[in-house]
Amino acid sequence: MPSNKKEAAAGFTLRGFEPYQVKKGEEYMNDAQMEHFKGLLLAWKTELMEEVDRTMSHMKDEAANFPDPADRASQEEEFSLELRTRDRERKLIKKIDSTMERIENDDYGFCDACGVEIGIRRLEARPTATLCVDCKTLDEIKEKQIGG
């Protein structure tokens, strides 16, 4: 158990990656930062793909034709929830692929709406982010006004 905040922060990892440590005077989205986020995204995508494989294996192994309608309904509901989760993950994989494309085109880390830096900490929390915090906040406010 870490005895202080510094030790706790040092022990934190994100999907097996240490958070990027920005060096004083370092240029934003330099090669080291790009490589860090590329590795992070690839590891995340691999993790999601493995989960898809596990789900498919689980569904094949667990598929049974239960004589009891309640048991059959429970299994169908479980499979339905798993498939819905996998569909969300499939969309996330597409987002990761599009983010990888942005990295390859040197367009990663900058807001689509205003062009400012998104920021290392925000990208650590949400590597597929395309908007800075301010633009995302405005986007959410507009969405609430229109939808709610």
Side-chain angles (χ1 to χ4, degrees), residues 17-30:
F17 278 80
E18 292 291 328
Y20 188 83
Q21 299 301 318
V22 179
K23 294 150 192 79
K24 191 172 185 166
E26 182 177 30
E27 184 182 336
Y28 182 70
M29 281 301 127
N30 60 37

Side-chain angles (χ1 to χ4, degrees), residues 9-117:
F12 172 76
T13 57
L14 178 67
R15 292 179 201 86
F17 278 80
E18 292 291 328
Y20 188 83
Q21 299 301 318
V22 179
K23 294 150 192 79
K24 191 172 185 166
E26 182 177 30
E27 184 182 336
Y28 182 70
M29 281 301 127
N30 60 37
D31 290 342
Q33 292 172 3
M34 291 289 208
E35 285 302 312
H36 171 78
F37 286 108
K38 189 186 287 188
L40 181 73
L41 288 161
L42 286 172
W44 193 12
K45 181 178 177 179
T46 301
E47 191 178 291
L48 291 169
M49 297 298 285
E50 288 171 357
E51 190 61 35
V52 167
D53 292 343
R54 275 195 294 274
T55 297
M56 297 313 285
S57 296
H58 169 73
M59 289 178 76
K60 285 178 186 173
D61 294 345
E62 296 296 315
N65 192 4
F66 292 109
D68 180 30
D71 290 341
R72 199 167 40 250
S74 291
Q75 183 185 48
E76 287 175 13
E77 183 63 23
E78 176 190 333
F79 285 179
S80 174
L81 288 171
E82 281 190 42
L83 289 173
R84 208 171 324 154
T85 301
R86 294 308 146 243
D87 187 50
R88 280 195 304 272
E89 289 174 349
R90 180 186 54 80
K91 290 174 185 173
L92 182 54
I93 289 169
K94 281 184 179 180
K95 229 177 168 179
I96 290 170
D97 288 339
S98 119
T99 302
M100 292 296 291
E101 204 171 291
R102 289 177 65 114
I103 289 174
E104 295 302 318
N105 296 331
D106 288 330
D107 193 29
Y108 182 69
F110 297 92
C111 180
D112 281 353
C114 69
V116 302
E117 298 175 356

Side-chain angles (χ1 to χ4, degrees), residues 1-9 11:
M1 182 92 184
S3 60
N4 62 37
K5 288 181 184 179
K6 199 170 197 174
E7 285 180 30

